[in-house]
Amino acid sequence: MYRLTPKEEVSARIRALQGRLGKDGVDAAFLVQNADLFYFTGSIQQGVLIVPAEGEPVYFVRRVYERALGESALEHIVRIATPKEIPAYFEKGNVSFGTIGFELDVMPVSVFQRFSRLFPEAKTVDISGAIREIRAVKGTAEIEVMRACGRNLAGLLSSARRS
């Protein structure tokens, strides 16, 4: 069994991203890369995490919704059949985005084009650098996992030396 990412850790990561979005004048981040989904949600289910500069993030999940509910500490997890359903979700809340940030260092062009077409009026920017900076700062839970892995590796190497 694996450890779930603590809610406090996910919340701190989201707050850091929202702070950076606000500072950079970006209305929302659209995250689809698995490593970023895991870092900011605690789950890697197929979908997109939308983090507004202000307000609650929403994890739109195509597959496997039930697993996302069990793994992620986020409050708003929405099942979708297709990303085309995302604009309607925000229209219901009268939310619009003037500038949207994407992970352009890792996102395939076809995926970027598909998501940017969902909000054609929005300006798109690269937020890769901001995400890398945020992920470089390790939280308490991350540090403990790294220490535990180090202890396991040390034990393995010690065993190998004795063999």
Side-chain angles (χ1 to χ4, degrees):
M1 185 64 181
Y2 54 89
R3 274 189 235 195
L4 297 178
T5 307
K7 182 175 184 151
E8 307 78 45
E9 193 101 2
V10 170
S11 296
R13 294 168 181 179
I14 295 288
R15 281 193 307 276
L17 179 56
Q18 288 178 317
R20 185 61 186 266
L21 293 173
K23 178 179 165 241
D24 294 345
V26 179
D27 297 315
F30 281 45
L31 308 178
V32 298
Q33 184 210 20
N34 284 344
D36 292 336
L37 284 177
F38 183 74
Y39 186 81
F40 289 103
T41 70
S43 184
I44 310 179
Q45 303 317 303
Q46 186 182 41
V48 58
L49 173 65
I50 299 182
V51 179
E54 294 180 10
E56 294 296 317
V58 183
Y59 188 16
F60 294 94
V61 178
R62 289 186 60 196
R63 299 188 194 113
V64 176
Y65 176 75
E66 293 77 13
R67 187 165 178 179
L69 288 174
E71 293 175 339
S72 180
L74 293 179
E75 303 276 329
H76 303 284
I77 302 174
V78 177
R79 183 193 311 247
I80 58 170
T82 172
K84 293 177 184 176
E85 297 172 30
I86 295 172
Y89 177 91
F90 290 104
E91 286 168 8
K92 280 191 290 186
N94 205 23
V95 175
S96 63
F97 303 119
T99 304
I100 298 172
F102 290 96
E103 315 143 299
L104 296 180
D105 63 338
V106 293
M107 181 181 272
V109 172
S110 62
V111 174
F112 167 72
Q113 290 172 335
R114 187 172 343 120
F115 280 105
S116 62
R117 278 194 296 263
L118 296 176
F119 295 89
E121 69 287 350
K123 175 184 170 187
T124 58
V125 296
D126 184 12
I127 58 166
S128 305
I131 290 173
R132 279 193 307 274
E133 288 174 18
I134 292 164
R135 288 182 50 191
V137 178
K138 305 304 179 203
T140 307
E142 258 181 307
I143 291 169
E144 182 49 43
V145 167
M146 291 187 321
R147 286 184 177 141
C149 288
R151 287 189 295 272
N152 289 343
L153 180 59
L156 177 70
L157 292 174
S158 179
S159 262
R161 269 189 243 128
R162 286 191 301 264
S163 296

